[in-house]
């Protein structure tokens, strides 16, 4: 779950700028998911020599492209995006940690923002401080043990139930329902299932790539407004429990927070807890199916936390986080001017060999918290502890119940660049000790 500022892969064309590489004339817009290992001859030629976010090969595995761009131009003017693209860890960390120069609130550079998008994710200090403190105060009220027990029970029962499927789709059968159940219990609401909710949630994800495909923008803005209305209804219901009720109580102590800002911010928590978390779970399950020996790293008191931290670094679903420059300055040897959009490719920075030795491999003894998977500074992820809990619980459910995962077919990746995730993950689920249900 990533309830901090996730800006889409977007930017604004700027006249008079020198573009590195030819400017793009149109983005590639695949209509379907991308099959991992798909032949290269499906590609149409494109304009940017380093990074075409919606190119099928990039969608299937973006990391070779991130690496090539980082090696050539760590801070790169991308003509199609009309933005600076940052792939270096040091420069990316600097951008995320400096809201005075690199703003999440694009209104500070005179750019209009839809009302439903004004949330914890969008604001900068000092406006951001009040709503963040309110939500942190609400977090401290939540009983973590009950949530952890329910999560273990849910994960175990779903994994054991999928053992009879030949094969099982771990996206639809596990990752998405588990993530939705978890964030709903965290918020203290009934899971908002159904086709309408899925449509709204997916529209928000796809709108994060509106800079690549402008047709995705309007549906995303409408979906944000609809889900904020849903959350406003939860806030108005006095019988709610969990994070929603705690946030409502905290607002009475901090009456300066508007009802709309609180609803929008909790909508962002709901969406991140569902979409970001389910996509991370799917990617982690894929890695564990390919490398089951990773669970051997769980020996030792810190093994689960170390492995969780590494998998957030390697498999985090949020690929990019954007800011807008509000004061001229220098970044990575490039002159960045007020009004320039700066996109930090988090997934590229998280594999920077200047910071992470053997950056594409799992380090069994990592320096935890060094990666940018949970952001930095004022917009660091509020849900980091919940993400870690979900991964720790997944590891223990697999190991304690003797569950092994074997790929049954190639996974399929969705055609989204900012928030990366699997559409399907066909896996054979095997259980060595099916009668030994280890829920606690």
């Amino acid at each position: 779950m990533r309830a901090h500022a996730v800006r889409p892969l977007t930017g604004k064309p700027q006249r008079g700028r020198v573009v590195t590489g030819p400017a793009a004339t149109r983005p590639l817009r695949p209509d379907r998911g991308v099959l991992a290992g798909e032949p290269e001859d499906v590609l149409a030629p494109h304009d940017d020599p380093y990074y075409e976010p919606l190119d099928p090969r990039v969608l299937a595995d973006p990391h070779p492209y991130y690496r090539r761009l980082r090696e050539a131009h760590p801070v790169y003017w991308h003509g199609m995006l009309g933005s600076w693209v940052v792939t270096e860890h040091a420069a990316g960390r600097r951008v995320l940690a400096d809201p005075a120069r690199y703003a999440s609130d694009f209104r500070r550079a005179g750019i209009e923002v839809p009302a439903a998008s004004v949330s914890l994710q969008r604001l900068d200090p000092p406006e951001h401080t009040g709503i963040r403190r309110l939500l942190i105060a609400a977090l401290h009220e939540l009983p973590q043990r009950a949530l952890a027990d329910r999560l273990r029970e849910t994960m175990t029962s779903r994994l054991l139930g999928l053992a009879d499927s030949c094969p099982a789709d771990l996206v639809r059968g596990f990752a998405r329902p588990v993530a939705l159940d978890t964030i709903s219990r965290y918020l203290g609401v009934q899971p908002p299932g159904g086709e309408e909710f899925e449509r709204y949630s997916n529209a928000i994800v796809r709108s994060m790539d509106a800079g690549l495909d402008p047709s995705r923008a309007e549906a995303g803005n409408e979906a944000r407004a609809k889900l904020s209305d849903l959350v406003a209804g939860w806030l108005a219901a006095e019988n709610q429990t969990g994070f929603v009720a705690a946030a409502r109580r905290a607002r009475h102590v901090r009456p300066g927070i508007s009802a709309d800002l609180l609803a929008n911010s909790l909508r962002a928590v709901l969406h991140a807890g569902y979409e970001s978390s389910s996509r991370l779970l799917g990617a982690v399950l894929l890695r564990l199916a390919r490398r089951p020996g990773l669970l051997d790293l769980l020996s030792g008191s810190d093994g689960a936390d170390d492995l969780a931290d590494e998998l957030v670094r390697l498999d985090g679903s949020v690929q990019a986080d954007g800011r807008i420059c509000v004061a001229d300055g220098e970044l990575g040897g490039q002159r960045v001017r007020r009004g320039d959009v700066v996109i930090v490719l988090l997934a590229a920075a998280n594999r920077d060999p200047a910071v992470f030795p053997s950056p594409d491999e799992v380090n069994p003894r990592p320096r935890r918290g060094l990666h940018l998977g949970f952001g930095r500074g004022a917009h660091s992820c509020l849900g980091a502890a919940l993400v870690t809990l979900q991964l720790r619980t997944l590891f223990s459910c697999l190991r304690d119940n003797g569950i092994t995962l074997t790929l049954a077919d190639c996974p399929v990746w969705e055609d989204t660049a900012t928030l990366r995730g699997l559409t399907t993950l066909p896996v054979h689920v095997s259980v060595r000790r099916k009668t030994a249900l280890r829920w606690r």
Side-chain angles (χ1 to χ4, degrees):
M1 169 176 142
R2 191 175 166 79
H4 69 274
V6 179
R7 298 278 72 73
L9 281 173
T10 185
K12 57 188 183 67
Q14 300 182 27
R15 298 177 181 177
R17 297 304 303 270
V18 177
V19 178
T20 306
T25 56
R26 63 179 178 85
L28 181 64
R29 293 163 55 184
D31 294 325
R32 297 175 181 169
V34 180
L35 188 65
E38 195 168 333
E40 295 183 3
D41 60 5
V42 301
L43 287 177
H46 255 331
D47 296 315
D48 191 86
Y50 294 103
Y51 178 50
E52 295 287 346
L54 293 182
D55 184 310
R57 284 182 300 186
V58 177
L59 291 168
D61 183 7
H63 298 290
Y65 302 89
Y66 295 159
R67 180 172 59 250
R68 185 175 65 169
L69 178 54
R70 184 179 57 242
E71 291 171 352
H73 303 286
V75 179
Y76 174 67
W77 179 256
H78 195 289
M80 183 175 71
L81 291 170
S83 307
W84 293 101
V85 174
V86 178
T87 50
E88 179 188 70
H89 185 277
R93 181 170 181 165
R94 178 181 166 190
V95 170
L96 298 179
D98 186 5
R101 185 178 299 275
Y102 301 103
S104 290
D105 190 346
F106 280 33
R107 296 174 301 177
R108 290 172 59 192
I111 297 176
E112 185 177 351
V113 173
S117 293
V118 179
S119 71
L120 171 75
Q121 292 182 326
R122 182 72 70 170
L123 297 177
D124 292 309
E127 292 82 7
H128 171 271
T129 305
I131 181 64
R132 185 172 177 89
R133 286 179 176 171
L134 183 154
L135 295 179
I136 290 174
L139 279 174
H140 290 161
E141 291 191 31
L142 299 182
Q144 299 297 322
R145 179 58 185 271
L147 181 66
D149 288 346
R150 172 62 185 178
L151 178 60
R152 178 179 295 275
E153 179 181 343
T154 300
M155 283 189 170
T156 302
S157 62
R158 281 199 168 272
L159 285 169
L160 294 176
L162 291 173
D164 296 328
S165 303
C166 297
D169 178 4
L170 291 188
V171 174
R172 293 186 178 89
F174 182 83
R176 291 187 73 77
V178 166
L180 185 58
D181 182 79
T182 301
I183 191 60
S184 298
R185 288 183 177 277
Y186 187 82
L187 293 171
V189 300
Q190 290 297 314
E195 293 183 3
E196 186 177 58
F197 174 74
E198 284 292 329
R199 185 171 68 253
Y200 291 149
S201 186
N202 186 254
I204 293 173
V205 172
R206 295 180 68 78
S207 73
M208 294 177 183
D209 296 334
L212 304 166
D213 182 355
S215 69
R216 301 182 181 190
E218 184 177 355
N221 290 331
E222 292 176 356
R224 288 181 180 88
K226 291 290 188 182
L227 292 188
S228 289
D229 288 344
L230 172 67
V231 173
W234 293 341
L235 286 166
E238 293 294 332
N239 60 342
Q240 298 291 359
T241 60
F243 193 45
V244 168
R248 184 176 59 239
R249 290 191 295 271
R251 182 173 173 245
H252 292 320
V253 181
R254 295 174 173 83
I257 305 299
S258 73
D260 287 344
L261 176 57
L262 181 57
N264 290 345
S265 298
L266 289 177
R267 181 259 303 153
V269 171
L270 166 67
H271 190 259
Y274 181 39
E275 291 290 355
S276 298
S277 294
S278 65
R279 289 157 188 264
L280 172 63
L281 286 172
V284 166
L285 287 164
L286 173 58
R287 183 176 291 272
L288 293 175
R290 287 173 169 165
R291 292 192 58 196
L294 286 175
L295 292 179
D296 295 338
L297 300 177
L298 297 180
S299 58
S301 58
D302 296 326
D305 285 331
D306 287 343
L307 182 57
D309 195 70
E310 274 291 89
L311 296 187
V312 170
R313 177 180 75 84
L314 290 167
D315 296 322
S317 57
V318 182
Q319 303 294 290
D321 207 351
R323 300 290 189 270
I324 192 159
C325 181
V326 293
D328 292 359
E330 179 273 337
L331 182 67
Q334 302 291 340
R335 182 68 175 171
V336 180
R337 300 179 179 88
R338 175 179 169 81
D340 286 356
V341 175
V342 180
I343 296 172
V344 180
L345 287 180
L346 305 173
N350 284 342
R351 299 193 186 204
D352 186 342
V355 180
F356 306 100
S358 302
D360 297 323
E361 300 297 325
V362 174
N363 181 352
R365 295 292 179 267
R367 291 173 57 194
R368 290 208 301 266
L370 191 60
H371 63 74
L372 303 181
F374 290 133
R376 272 294 181 276
H379 291 95
S380 58
C381 181
L382 281 175
L386 182 58
V387 170
T388 301
L389 173 64
Q390 290 179 84
L391 293 180
R392 286 174 55 95
T393 305
L394 174 62
F395 303 154
S396 63
C397 287
L398 292 170
R399 185 183 58 179
D400 294 348
N401 292 287
I403 297 172
T404 58
L405 309 174
T406 307
L407 278 178
D409 204 343
C410 288
V412 178
W413 293 93
E414 190 175 347
D415 63 331
T416 52
T418 304
L419 199 59
R420 187 167 186 251
L422 289 161
T423 300
T424 58
L425 177 58
V427 168
H428 293 294
V429 180
S430 303
V431 183
R432 290 196 302 271
R433 300 187 299 276
K434 192 168 182 178
T435 58
L437 302 184
R438 297 289 297 277
W439 287 355
R440 288 181 169 80

